Amino acid sequence: MDIIFIEELRAATWIGIYPREKAVAQTVEISLQIGVSTTSAGASDDIRDTVDYAVVVERLRADLAASHFNLLEKLTEHIATFLLENFAAQWVRVSVAKLGMMPGVKRVGVVIERSI
């Protein structure tokens, strides 16, 4: 299996359980590893034979902008399922972090791996 990755993607979504978090969308930082075979694309040199990074980013940002999650765990599961169902991934590793949530802490987050 090969891995296509997207690191430190910033996207806005509604995330949190506290009233201050529900009042405004927050930016989260997402890193993705998408397990797929790149053999066909390596032979053909054709974007149609692989995962198009731009399409992943565009569709994920649109999906998250219209969604609300209470917990990072739910958001991370949502992203993993989204990738597995929409991009023919066999395996994914998804990292999602909230930024600057606590004094003296740069980010807090969750990392999961899922496969079909």
Side-chain angles (χ1 to χ4, degrees):
M1 180 177 338
D2 308 314
I3 298 175
I4 292 174
F5 66 91
I6 300 170
E7 293 185 351
E8 298 182 15
L9 161 67
R10 301 271 174 115
T13 194
W14 299 86
I15 177 78
I17 59 173
Y18 300 109
R20 63 178 158 55
E21 294 175 311
K22 293 184 178 201
V24 64
Q26 296 178 56
T27 299
V28 293
E29 185 176 271
I30 304 165
S31 290
L32 308 171
Q33 293 182 357
I34 305 167
V36 295
S37 173
T38 62
T39 304
S40 294
S44 70
D45 204 23
D46 189 327
I47 190 67
R48 293 173 294 187
D49 290 333
T50 191
V51 174
D52 185 333
Y53 316 113
V55 172
V56 172
V57 169
E58 177 185 334
R59 290 184 58 198
L60 188 56
R61 280 188 173 143
D63 179 72
L64 295 181
S67 301
H68 178 270
F69 307 93
N70 287 328
L71 302 176
L72 277 174
E73 290 83 352
K74 177 65 175 179
L75 169 57
T76 309
E77 288 286 351
H78 177 83
I79 294 169
T81 300
F82 182 86
L83 294 171
L84 290 168
E85 291 179 352
N86 292 288
F87 294 97
Q90 300 295 305
W91 167 90
V92 295
R93 177 180 289 136
V94 179
S95 170
V96 180
K98 289 173 85 173
L99 309 173
M101 291 306 299
M102 295 178 280
V105 177
K106 188 172 184 176
R107 63 176 62 92
V108 298
V110 174
V111 178
I112 65 170
E113 292 184 27
R114 298 293 181 264
S115 59
I116 60 169

